Amino acid sequence: MSVDDYLAGLAGPLREIGEKLTPVIAAALPGATGAMWHGHPVWSLGDRPGQRPLCLIKAYGSYVTFGLWRGQEITDPSGRLIPGARAMAAVKLRDVADIDPALFSDWLRAAAHLEEM
């Protein structure tokens, strides 16, 4: 299964969120590889899924989670990133309006910078 297959299999509103989010990820992380890993899309530095993972999207019944592996290390003046397990942080997206391309791009560039250090 590919990232596109995953998105195509989602219900309408969740698919719309994924379809709006993936170009934001691609633009902010031009050197990252998007692939399926543990059943959902993950973007990583390197050429293997899961190698230096940066971010993920995962659909649930009524929302899509956009998560950053080292999200707790990212400065987030918006307060939208919710800390999770280990160093992860995520935001729940219930509508395409929840996606702020500029803010998400800042998070993604910060995540990539953490991996380059």
Side-chain angles (χ1 to χ4, degrees), residues 35 40-41 46 49-50 68 86:
H40 54 272
L68 298 158
R86 300 185 187 120

Side-chain angles (χ1 to χ4, degrees), residues 12 16 33 37 39 49 68 78 80 83 92 94-96 98-99 101 106 112 114 117:
E16 292 172 14
T33 303
W37 192 43
L68 298 158
S78 74
R80 290 186 60 193
K92 291 181 181 177
R94 300 182 189 283
D95 187 270
V96 294
D98 293 338
I99 300 170
D106 287 346
L114 288 169
M117 296 174 65

